[in-house]
Each structure stands twice: as structure tokens, then as C-alpha cells.
Amino acid sequence: MWIKSCLMILLFSLSVCAFEKPNIVLLFADDAGYGDFGFQGSHHFRTPHLDALAEDGVVLTQFYVSGATCGPSRAGLLSGRYQQRFGFEEINVPGIMSPNSKLLGDEMGLPTDFPTLGNYLQDLGYKTAVFGKWHMGVADRYHPLKRGFDEFYGFRGGARSFFPYPQPEKQKHENLLERNFGEYKEHKGYLTDALADEACDFITRHRDKPFFAYVSFNAVHTPMQPDPKDKDEFPQLTGNRRKVAQMTLSLDRACGKIIGMLKELGLYENTLIVFSNDNGGPMDKNGSSNYPFSGVKGTQLEGGIRVPGVVAWPAKLPKGGTYDFPMITLDLIPTFVTAGGGVPAEMLDGVDMLPYLLGENKERPHQTLHWKMETRGAIRDGDWKLLRFPDRPPRLHNLATDPGEQVNLAAEYPDLVKELFKKQFEWEMELERPRFMLRREEEALSARRADEFSVPPAADY
């Protein structure tokens, strides 16, 4: 009897310990379209591994990023704070500065005076790694190994070739593939595959301790370079639409390989896995589709800031469900820290997602969300969303009835417009001045895209 009791206590203790510190894997796509995944309803794209992950977890139907372009969005993700609080809002780094600025492109990056997602998890005993796109500054002081990550395999800049550079010595160092700090050597084969292989190796080496893998794919960002083995796939599509479908297929296979390794090592059940994307698809550049939303990357329409979201933790979260209240990538740090046994810092702007996904908290995680880039701004309060422009009257939309933002209700609800303007201004009073000036032609083009209210045709969805 005594032996049986001891065994029961031991088994209970082991089961509790198993769930105290889950492994954490963040699978992050680049410039993907909201509608370009099977679990999002796409009829043309094939994403079987991510679809299976969605069936094992919860699909977030109203998941947002904190910025409509790569750099600001990732700054919010990695800090857990609205990036405008520390002046990182207007430009992807590195970039061209204004003539009066004392900073140079290489000196632009995520400020070093606060902890990152990596730091928070290191403090909880996690081994941390980044695979792929960093895009938080190319100067050495911004390097991932100095910002809370134990390992790095990727590139410091914002985009690069999916194939090895034949003459790497002619490339800028931020475009080159780097292992840890300063060890530059080009990969073999297709980069999406190489990143998955490196992530699997990291998982295998650290299977006996809690780990965090931030797998920051550069797929499906330009250049449009599908894997040659997929050249015959998606014959019904043409141009960049076909290429982005092929690149998404590679992305899905890579995610499947990582998930498969977790299963092979017996780690899958107690791994918290999140899949998402850094901003809306640019559409004109990579052929992506943000259907059913208006807007593209660089705009604060839903197509620029609402992204796919899947959260799976098979041992703890329900399977095959959806969560329909708004959440945001700012919520990832509080969620990961809490899951890892820590207490989220007070300065964070997000919330722990788990009580909401488990149904323990029935309230909205966020009554109000904000976006800002230069003089453009947006606020979502409940189901109401106000868009502010520098050169035209505001737009007001009820997202519950008009998710495509086609019907402007500003003239019908002037008092609500004033109220939302006031809330947005109060939030903006908390922010720092932008650190980097908006000067690049690409960013100026993104600003002009605020005029685009078209919805991609369902026939090409």
C-alpha cells in the first residue's frame, strides 16, 4: 500500500512538472496573405501541416500585429510593447535617414535599454534561439546573441535570396547567412528547408530542457523564388500568384518538419506552438491575398494588420476550436512567460492568452487596440474601428457587420468619431517621438496605399 501511494505521488509529481515549463516554438511567416492558408479557407493553396496544427489547437479569427510593416511589427512582438512607446514606428531598418539625423542606417535597430522576449525566457531557464530573419538592426549591439538569444542561424537584414549567393563576398553582411556571431557561411539547397533543419537540430540538442525556438521564416517575402522541386505545382495559377502558392507550400513543409521532430522526440504534447505572420500581404509584390479584407501591408486597414493565428498546446488547450475576440502579437510574451512559470512585467501591453483560450475568462482580452505610423492612425474599440488620415476625413467602420471596411459610418456617428479620436490622442500622448524618419520610396508608397479599399476577388482565393 505504501509503495503504491509513493508511486501515485511520483506519477502525479512528474505529470505536474511536465506541464510547468512547456517548450515553446513560434513559427513566423513573412508577408503572407491572410487568406492564403487552408485553415483560413483557401481553396487553391495547400498547407496540410499547418491545417493539422490548427486542428490540434485554436484558430484566432481576429489576431492582429502591432504594425503594418515588418520592422515595427517585429519590434512590438519582441518587446511585448507597442513599438511606438520607444519610437520605433515609421520605417523598416536599416534605412535611409533624414539629412539632419545623426544616425546612420547601420545604427538603426531595436533599442537596447529593455528586455526582449528572449531575455524573459532566458530568465526562466529556457534555451533560446532565432532561426531566419532578424530585421532588428544590423549593428553588432543589436545582434540576437546580445538581445536574449543563445543561438542564431539566419540573417540580420530584412530580405535575401532563398538560394546560396554564388559570390557572398559581394553581398552586404546583413544579407549573408550567419551562424551565431560573425560566422558567415551560405547554406545548401533552399533556405526555407535549411531553417527548418537548423530548428530541428536545436530541438534535438535541447530536448531534455525547456527551449524556445523563434523560427522567423523569410517566406513568402520577395524575391519570388520557389523551390525548383515545386515548379509543376499549382498549374491553375499564374505569375506571382503561382509562385507565392509554391513558396507557401515550402513554408508549410518546413513547419511540418519541425512539428514532426517534436512528435518524434515525444515533445509535441507539452510544446506551446504558435503560428502567425508579421503583417498583411503586399499583394502587388508577392501575389498574396488578404481576402476577405481590404488593404495591404503598410496600411491600417484589416488587410494590413489582421493576420493568421494558431495557438496549439495539445496537453492543455482544446483542439479544433476558434477564438473570436481580438488578440494581438503583444500578447505572446505574457502568454509565454506565464506558461513558463513566470510573472509578466508590468510594462508589457499584452495579456496572457491562456485563460481566454481555455474559457476561464469570458471577457474581451482587449477592449481597445491602437495603431500608428507617422500621421496615420487607427483605433479599434470593441467592434468599432476608426481610421485617421493626414489628408482626408476619417473613416468609421463596424467590423462586426463590415469586416471588409466598405461602409464609412463616420457621418452617421459623429459623437463616436470624437470619442475614438480622443482615446487615440490620449494613447499617443504616452508615446515617444519616432526615432527614425520616413524617407524611403517603399515606405512612401505604403502610405499612399491607404486609398486601397478593394477586396481580392473570391475567384482567385
Side-chain angles (χ1 to χ4, degrees):
M1 183 69 179
W2 178 83
I3 295 176
K4 183 178 180 180
S5 299
C6 289
L7 285 173
M8 291 180 63
I9 292 172
L10 177 61
L11 289 172
F12 176 78
S13 300
L14 289 173
S15 65
V16 170
C17 291
F19 301 125
E20 280 185 349
K21 285 189 186 297
N23 302 304
I24 302 172
V25 175
L26 174 57
L27 303 170
F28 210 56
D30 192 358
D31 277 11
Y34 180 86
D36 286 342
F37 299 90
F39 68 88
Q40 294 287 86
S42 177
H43 301 301
H44 290 160
F45 285 34
R46 297 200 307 272
T47 54
H49 298 100
L50 290 172
D51 297 349
L53 181 69
E55 291 176 1
D56 273 353
V58 182
V59 175
L60 310 179
T61 62
Q62 300 196 63
F63 196 45
Y64 288 96
V65 288
S66 60
T69 54
C70 305
S73 171
R74 292 163 193 268
L77 166 72
L78 289 167
S79 68
R81 303 163 65 200
Y82 283 110
Q83 63 276 5
Q84 298 92 342
R85 292 196 186 280
F86 45 88
F88 195 137
E89 71 172 70
E90 292 189 4
I91 196 166
N92 282 324
V93 298
I96 300 172
M97 304 302 297
S98 69
N100 297 326
S101 175
K102 296 181 181 179
L103 297 176
L104 300 174
D106 281 1
E107 298 306 310
M108 300 165 63
L110 187 68
T112 59
D113 56 354
F114 53 76
T116 69
L117 169 55
N119 293 122
Y120 287 118
L121 292 179
Q122 278 183 334
D123 290 345
L124 294 173
Y126 280 77
K127 277 291 186 181
T128 60
V130 179
F131 302 96
K133 175 174 173 174
W134 178 236
H135 207 201
M136 289 290 94
V138 301
D140 287 350
R141 70 175 179 274
Y142 300 126
H143 193 278
L145 267 59
K146 298 186 178 182
R147 302 310 312 277
F149 293 93
D150 298 303
E151 298 183 24
F152 174 56
Y153 182 82
F155 55 98
R156 302 189 194 188
R160 59 150 288 151
S161 171
F162 287 81
F163 301 104
Y165 289 117
Q167 295 179 300
E169 67 277 3
K170 294 185 178 181
Q171 296 292 324
K172 294 181 179 180
H173 79 285
E174 62 260 31
N175 295 336
L176 297 176
L177 205 57
E178 181 180 14
R179 185 180 298 279
N180 293 325
F181 191 87
E183 182 184 337
Y184 295 100
K185 184 179 179 181
E186 288 295 282
H187 62 292
K188 295 180 181 180
Y190 193 64
L191 182 54
T192 304
D193 294 337
L195 297 178
D197 290 340
E198 291 290 332
C200 288
D201 178 69
F202 171 79
I203 290 169
T204 301
R205 287 186 284 109
H206 298 289
R207 72 183 93 177
D208 296 326
K209 60 190 72 174
F211 58 77
F212 168 59
Y214 171 34
V215 190
S216 178
F217 293 104
N218 55 320
V220 292
H221 195 290
T222 55
M224 302 310 294
Q225 296 175 335
D227 190 328
K229 67 173 172 279
D230 296 321
K231 62 182 178 62
D232 296 325
E233 300 288 347
F234 307 100
Q236 74 276 25
L237 303 176
T238 61
N240 279 345
R241 187 69 181 149
R242 184 177 186 182
K243 290 180 179 179
V244 76
Q246 294 167 340
M247 293 169 72
T248 303
L249 183 62
S250 294
L251 170 69
D252 180 76
R253 277 198 304 261
C255 292
K257 187 168 189 176
I258 294 168
I259 294 167
M261 180 57 68
L262 293 169
K263 292 180 177 179
E264 180 181 327
L265 298 174
L267 303 174
Y268 180 67
E269 290 294 316
N270 196 37
T271 298
L272 174 54
I273 306 171
V274 174
F275 172 77
S276 193
N277 183 50
D278 61 348
N279 45 247
M283 293 175 59
D284 60 327
K285 290 190 174 183
N286 71 354
S288 55
S289 171
N290 296 323
Y291 182 86
F293 302 124
S294 298
V296 295
K297 173 182 179 178
T299 74
Q300 292 162 353
L301 295 163
E302 293 294 285
I305 57 176
R306 196 189 292 199
V307 293
V310 175
V311 183
W313 185 357
K316 186 163 185 175
L317 289 176
K319 297 182 180 183
T322 60
Y323 187 80
D324 298 326
F325 280 141
M327 286 183 167
I328 191 168
T329 48
L330 302 176
D331 298 331
L332 293 181
I333 290 183
T335 303
F336 294 167
V337 167
T338 303
V343 178
E346 291 185 3
M347 69 176 179
L348 299 175
D349 285 315
V351 300
D352 175 14
M353 304 161 79
L354 296 177
Y356 300 94
L357 301 183
L358 289 167
E360 298 168 357
N361 191 329
K362 305 294 185 181
E363 302 297 321
R364 283 178 175 263
H366 302 277
Q367 174 63 28
T368 308
L369 294 171
H370 302 273
W371 295 269
K372 178 181 180 294
M373 182 175 282
E374 204 183 24
T375 53
R376 290 177 294 147
I379 177 174
R380 174 166 180 167
D381 192 70
D383 288 327
W384 289 100
K385 182 179 175 186
L386 179 77
L387 291 143
R388 182 189 72 201
F389 307 101
D391 57 353
R392 76 204 79 171
R395 294 185 66 92
L396 179 69
H397 300 281
N398 187 325
L399 296 178
T401 58
D402 180 28
E405 296 170 288
Q406 299 295 296
V407 182
N408 185 7
L409 299 174
E412 296 182 35
Y413 298 94
D415 291 340
L416 179 57
V417 170
K418 293 178 182 178
E419 178 185 341
L420 294 180
F421 261 119
K422 182 179 178 181
K423 286 187 176 182
Q424 181 75 355
F425 288 144
E426 289 173 349
W427 174 72
E428 289 178 349
M429 291 297 292
E430 303 172 3
L431 310 179
E432 288 188 13
R433 291 186 60 187
R435 292 171 180 257
F436 316 129
M437 301 301 293
L438 183 60
R439 289 292 183 268
R440 293 197 305 176
E441 180 180 352
E442 178 183 355
E443 298 294 338
L445 176 61
S446 292
R448 292 197 296 273
R449 287 178 182 155
D451 283 325
E452 298 186 12
F453 282 82
S454 61
V455 177
D460 195 28
Y461 179 47

